Amino acid sequence: MDESLIQEQEAQLQKTGRYYKHICFMAVPVLCMACFLYGVRPLLLCGIAVLTGNLCDRLVSLLRRRVYQGGDFSNESFALVIALLMPVTVDIYVLIAAVLAGVLIGKEIFGGYGSYPFNPAAVGYVVAAVSWPEQVFRYPQPYTNIPLWDASMVPVSSAIEDTLRSGGMLNIGSLALGLGEYAAPMGTGAALVILACGLFLWTQKDAHMSASISFLVTCAVIAFFFPRQAGLADSAVLSNILPRLQCVRDELLTGAILFSAVFLINEPYTCVHHRMGRVLYGVLVGVVSMGFRYYGVYETGVCFALLAVNSMSAWIDRTEAKLYHLTHLQADAGKGQHNETRNG
């Protein structure tokens, strides 16, 4: 492997390696909540995912003849995010294939650490979702007895998305939604835990509020003014505020929207780097995500949306940098003319 690329990746690891370590730490409380709801199997699945990601890192280091970086937790963080996006009943081979796709196709094929244009966790999830939709989009009810190794006989359903897509209202209390007591991916339901994790990442400056908040606000605005629930979209806004707010609650707390705002959107090398660009980035991800949710066939459309908008991240960065440069040139020119006038 080229020595200059190795040195560049080591420098990037020093700069952004803490983010991936914190993502791994914050996956622990989410995993604990998943174990509370589903038993021990989430721990097994996350352990297998982390082991697969770590072995991929060691194998790639061997093949590229570079020293294995023990402080690089990026593969492990991607693997944990992929695992938490899966239902607890997913077959182990599907999870392993998703992690392999995320790490090898999403990350290493583009050159490794810091060189990838698409979020590797989203890549791995999308590959599994397209290849095994019957495994990825059907979930068991919480507190169901889940066998440790073979969960193929556990009853599963996609009741949440079926209800929303058909224009119905969720008959689930806010507390149950906040604790994840409904059929969902094993790590995306506990909204209160996810919010606490997001607060920690923000205080550690690992998460950019501009991207996450603009994403959530965009999803909320679309859900409020264009609800999927039958009859609400054509009714007056002021006369149906409470039902519309319930639509916002249902959309934000299901479909991995909140989970993605905390664990996916702020990935250092696929998120836009400047503040105004991050706001635009969050808005675009929100619009495309809601488009996938409303008109697509997959419940967790945010991962598909993220990959679509990742293709424009570099362009958004370059455009903002050019605009910043032009505005400052004009400001400097204006100051120069003002000083000439005063001197004259």
Side-chain angles (χ1 to χ4, degrees), residues 26-58:
M26 289 301 98
V28 173
V30 178
L31 175 58
C32 290
M33 192 64 190
C35 290
F36 173 75
L37 294 172
Y38 299 106
V40 184
R41 196 163 200 263
L43 184 61
L44 172 68
L45 294 177
C46 287
I48 291 173
V50 168
L51 179 61
T52 303
N54 183 268
L55 290 177
C56 285
D57 200 3
R58 294 177 183 273

Side-chain angles (χ1 to χ4, degrees), residues 78-265:
F78 299 143
L80 280 170
V81 170
I82 292 171
L84 293 171
L85 282 167
M86 295 288 177
V88 70
T89 51
V90 69
D91 284 340
I92 293 174
Y93 74 89
V94 175
L95 177 60
I96 292 176
V99 175
L100 290 175
V103 171
L104 299 181
I105 299 176
K107 176 186 173 185
E108 298 298 347
I109 201 173
F110 292 102
Y113 194 97
S115 303
Y116 41 85
F118 302 101
N119 189 307
V123 171
Y125 178 82
V126 165
V127 169
V130 172
S131 304
W132 299 279
E134 73 286 350
Q135 291 261 358
V136 175
F137 295 114
R138 299 185 67 82
Y139 318 104
Q141 289 295 328
Y143 309 115
T144 302
N145 183 23
I146 311 290
L148 186 60
W149 294 101
D150 184 10
S152 58
M153 302 303 294
V154 176
V156 293
S157 67
S158 55
I160 296 293
E161 184 57 24
D162 290 344
T163 300
L164 293 176
R165 186 177 287 119
S166 63
M169 288 279 195
L170 296 183
N171 189 22
I172 304 175
S174 297
L175 182 59
L177 277 175
L179 296 176
E181 294 179 329
Y182 61 95
M186 61 181 173
T188 68
L192 297 177
V193 178
I194 294 170
L195 282 173
C197 294
L199 181 61
F200 172 83
L201 293 173
W202 176 64
T203 57
Q204 296 298 311
K205 302 188 184 303
D206 294 315
H208 301 293
M209 295 293 285
S210 50
S212 296
I213 296 299
S214 61
F215 165 66
L216 292 175
V217 168
T218 300
C219 293
V221 168
I222 293 174
F224 184 82
F225 287 103
F226 307 99
R228 286 195 276 181
Q229 282 63 28
L232 280 182
D234 299 326
S235 62
V237 174
L238 295 179
S239 62
N240 291 285
I241 290 181
L242 290 181
R244 287 173 181 269
L245 290 177
Q246 183 178 342
C247 294
V248 173
R249 182 205 69 171
D250 294 345
E251 297 289 354
L252 293 188
L253 298 185
T254 63
I257 293 290
L258 188 60
F259 180 88
S260 300
V262 173
F263 287 95
L264 282 170
I265 284 185

